[in-house]
Amino acid sequence: MRYTISKVLGLALVLGVFGCSDFLDEQDPSNLQPESFYTTATHAESAIAAVYADARFVGDGAGIFSSNWQFLLAPTGTTTTETAQNSDLNNLYSLSFDDNTLHIRNWWRGVYKVIANANLVLENVPGIDMDEGQKNQILGEAKFLRAWAYFYAVRLWGDVPLITTPQSATSEDFFPSRAPQSEVYSLIVNDLLEAENAGLPWTDESGRVSQSAVKTLLAKVYLTMAGFPLNETARYADAASKAKEIIDNPGPLRLFDTYGEVHDETLNNMGEHIFSLQYNNLIGDNPMGNMFPNFQPVTYRGPSGTGSTIPQIDFYNSFDDGDLRKQNRDGWFYTSYYTNGSGELFELGKPYIFKHFNVIANGTEGVEGTAKDNLNVPIFRYAEVLLIYAEAANEVGGPTQDALDALTAIRDRAQLTTGDLGSFNQQTFREAVWTERWHELCFEMKLWFDMVRLRKVYNSTNGQFDDFIGHVNLNSDQALQEKHYLFPLPEQEIINSPNLTQNQGY
């Protein structure tokens, strides 16, 4: 079956979210329609649960030895592969991807499925007779998740179809055209401003959307709008202001004391974690296994792993030697581990990514792994809020003490020294923050978007920032081109939807 926007949006009601009690109703369950389904508070909760479930497309598979999340890591030049057995992933590493690349097709379909089910919630839940507070929170969550999905879409493909209501074959825009990026961003901002006033809790240890998550995404959207391609520089002040709201009243939000806590499953949705994709062994394990070394016994499974995402060695070397994030099993990397997860320590021969390694599931010194990887995938951490504020505040009027304090908090945890305010001007502070973004937020599907909005790329060999066009990715020795600002729309979408056009260069 071909999955076009229209089909995904028209068939988006996910029957798998219905509880067993639904099948006891008099109406034939096979004939369920939105009009008959959206009648109770339980239905509303099931519907928003479907949207959350859809968001986990990020962790789905993308062919042999590959996952969807690798889409946003491979083109950055910060990672490489040991196996090279997935042609689509290889094309992403080598910047030779096209409109048939599987990861691109999967992201298009995944993003628009989130949007489709969010639209169903926003269309149908308002008419349900239920507690108004509960209803408003569900609608706020749906607004956030729709904005989150569109934020990916507009950054990946630029002008994209803007669909805000459930679709059917008779819908006027069943074959949609591409809306200007400015209109897409307008919807994103409006959705988030409404979600801010939906009565959401400040944090939510169950993993649902919180007010701090809404504010974080809004700050990030403003920061992006201030850069390329919109260049709405006044948005820097908005980004700084929104991030400062979180910093000034963080509640339980904080930087973890250690990097190990960032990937400790017992701390899911707490402390530094503002919003994450939820994983539980009963439904699905953490999907970051393609970061395991190729066929080395670092887990309870023994010799296994694919090594299809490993650090590019020059990027690893770009971390200061004294940076705790570079230290073996203390930060983001490991160069040795325990045989079968809990046995004798052995050398791996090169650095691998430790940032998403779950020591509880996989084992640690003298402690066997549980084989149940319940670690979430972080989307927003408090560390990113600090860096958003530091960058945005500096762009408004140069470095300030508050901006320096935000940057220093990140560097203090890494055990790095930071100069005083007088040692920076606007440009040196700007690049100091950018460098921390590359080193703090690496391997979290963020750096590609920094490259596009800044039109700059971190050069791992000299610590400077190259222009985007002409920068050579060291994992492939290929240079970035102007066309790489955007990805191609999937070919099948162009074929099946006559009003869609392709991005330049593809």
Side-chain angles (χ1 to χ4, degrees):
M1 178 178 180
R2 294 175 177 175
Y3 286 88
T4 65
I5 286 181
S6 302
K7 288 175 180 175
V8 169
L9 292 173
L11 302 175
L13 188 58
V14 179
L15 296 178
V17 304
F18 300 158
C20 293
S21 62
D22 295 298
F23 293 97
L24 301 179
D25 295 339
E26 291 184 3
Q27 183 173 356
D28 180 357
S30 65
N31 292 326
L32 280 172
Q33 300 293 324
E35 294 80 9
S36 58
F37 175 68
Y38 289 97
T39 57
T40 70
T42 300
H43 292 166
E45 291 287 356
S46 296
I48 194 63
V51 190
Y52 281 107
D54 292 338
R56 287 200 297 271
F57 81 87
V58 171
D60 289 347
I64 186 172
F65 300 156
S66 190
S67 304
N68 285 341
W69 55 262
Q70 291 172 293
F71 171 41
L72 294 177
L73 270 62
T76 65
T78 61
T79 64
T80 187
T81 178
E82 288 185 308
T83 55
Q85 293 192 40
N86 185 293
S87 59
D88 291 286
L89 182 59
N90 292 343
N91 290 339
L92 288 167
Y93 279 121
S94 64
L95 302 178
S96 58
F97 51 83
D98 60 23
D99 54 7
N100 277 309
T101 299
L102 179 59
H103 302 72
I104 295 173
R105 300 202 310 267
N106 287 351
W107 271 78
W108 181 278
R109 179 171 58 181
V111 161
Y112 273 99
K113 191 175 181 185
V114 171
I115 292 166
N117 271 338
N119 284 340
L120 282 167
V121 171
L122 293 168
E123 178 81 9
N124 293 288
V125 167
I128 297 177
D129 183 12
M130 59 185 291
D131 177 79
E132 287 300 312
Q134 181 186 14
K135 178 190 293 186
N136 288 337
Q137 289 192 22
I138 289 172
L139 294 173
E141 292 169 84
K143 289 275 188 178
F144 171 92
L145 291 164
R146 184 170 71 175
W148 176 79
Y150 267 123
F151 189 43
Y152 278 120
V154 74
R155 290 178 296 166
L156 292 172
W157 296 290
D159 297 349
V160 292
L162 191 59
I163 308 296
T164 59
T165 58
Q167 299 292 289
S168 70
T170 60
S171 296
E172 183 177 347
D173 54 355
F174 186 69
F175 294 111
S177 301
R178 301 174 68 175
Q181 293 185 53
S182 58
E183 292 184 16
V184 181
Y185 274 106
S186 180
L187 174 77
I188 292 168
V189 170
N190 288 339
D191 274 357
L192 293 174
L193 290 174
E194 290 182 20
E196 261 193 312
N197 296 309
L200 298 170
W202 181 248
T203 57
D204 193 321
E205 292 187 9
S206 73
R208 295 178 71 152
V209 175
S210 64
Q211 191 175 90
S212 60
V214 175
K215 290 180 183 294
T216 300
L217 179 52
L218 192 51
K220 187 167 183 173
V221 169
Y222 287 147
L223 185 70
T224 302
M225 295 173 73
F228 292 98
L230 296 187
N231 289 313
E232 296 181 6
T233 55
R235 292 297 190 178
Y236 281 121
D238 295 332
S241 176
K242 193 58 59 179
K244 197 67 159 56
E245 289 180 30
I246 302 170
I247 294 169
D248 285 347
N249 296 284
L253 298 175
R254 61 182 179 86
L255 287 180
F256 286 131
D257 295 328
T258 67
Y259 294 113
E261 292 172 287
V262 173
H263 53 113
D264 181 344
E265 70 172 49
T266 67
L267 297 173
N268 281 342
N269 306 317
M270 292 186 282
E272 190 163 336
H273 296 300
I274 295 175
F275 183 69
S276 303
L277 299 181
Q278 305 296 298
Y279 285 89
N280 185 288
N281 179 256
L282 297 175
I283 299 173
D285 284 345
N286 176 281
M288 310 302 282
N290 283 318
M291 289 182 175
F292 289 142
N294 185 30
F295 216 68
Q296 296 208 52
V298 299
T299 78
Y300 64 89
R301 298 182 182 90
S304 60
T306 69
S308 64
T309 288
I310 67 172
Q312 200 280 333
I313 192 62
D314 293 284
F315 178 65
Y316 167 78
N317 289 333
S318 73
F319 286 74
D320 290 345
D321 288 340
D323 191 329
L324 192 61
R325 291 168 297 199
K326 189 179 183 181
Q327 302 309 306
N328 183 26
R329 302 191 307 279
D330 280 333
W332 301 153
F333 306 94
Y334 63 128
T335 57
S336 64
Y337 208 65
Y338 308 101
T339 303
N340 296 335
S342 58
E344 183 178 353
L345 191 68
F346 73 100
E347 294 297 321
L348 292 165
K350 65 178 72 170
Y352 293 91
I353 299 169
F354 199 53
K355 195 174 200 177
H356 301 278
F357 190 97
N358 187 341
V359 298
I360 293 175
N362 299 314
T364 188
E365 184 178 14
V367 181
E368 292 184 358
T370 64
K372 298 178 180 179
D373 197 340
N374 300 316
L375 185 64
N376 292 336
V377 173
I379 299 299
F380 301 134
R381 293 190 290 120
Y382 185 65
E384 186 173 10
V385 174
L386 294 172
L387 290 170
I388 289 172
Y389 175 72
E391 180 181 351
N394 179 62
E395 295 299 333
V396 171
T400 66
Q401 188 60 50
D402 283 347
L404 178 62
D405 290 345
L407 176 64
T408 301
I410 300 294
R411 291 178 57 81
D412 280 354
R413 184 170 64 172
Q415 297 184 358
L416 298 171
T417 58
T418 308
D420 59 23
L421 189 61
S423 64
F424 292 100
N425 58 37
Q426 188 175 45
Q427 180 61 25
T428 58
F429 190 82
R430 174 185 294 131
E431 294 195 6
V433 175
W434 290 353
T435 301
E436 287 309 310
R437 288 190 64 89
W438 252 259
H439 288 159
E440 178 65 28
L441 305 177
C442 58
F443 317 131
E444 293 185 36
M445 301 177 287
K446 301 178 186 297
L447 297 187
W448 177 259
F449 298 122
D450 280 347
M451 292 163 59
V452 171
R453 72 179 175 86
L454 298 172
R455 299 292 198 257
K456 295 287 185 180
V457 186
Y458 182 70
N459 186 318
S460 298
T461 60
N462 61 21
Q464 304 300 309
F465 283 87
D466 298 339
D467 289 337
F468 182 99
I469 297 175
H471 169 82
V472 175
N473 273 4
L474 296 178
N475 61 350
S476 62
D477 290 328
Q478 297 300 309
L480 290 162
Q481 305 171 41
E482 183 177 5
K483 72 174 186 177
H484 294 137
Y485 290 147
L486 297 172
F487 287 93
L489 276 66
E491 179 187 41
Q492 202 60 52
E493 296 295 331
I494 302 292
I495 293 172
N496 290 343
S497 191
N499 293 328
L500 293 181
T501 57
Q502 187 56 277
N503 280 327
Q504 186 175 358
Y506 297 102

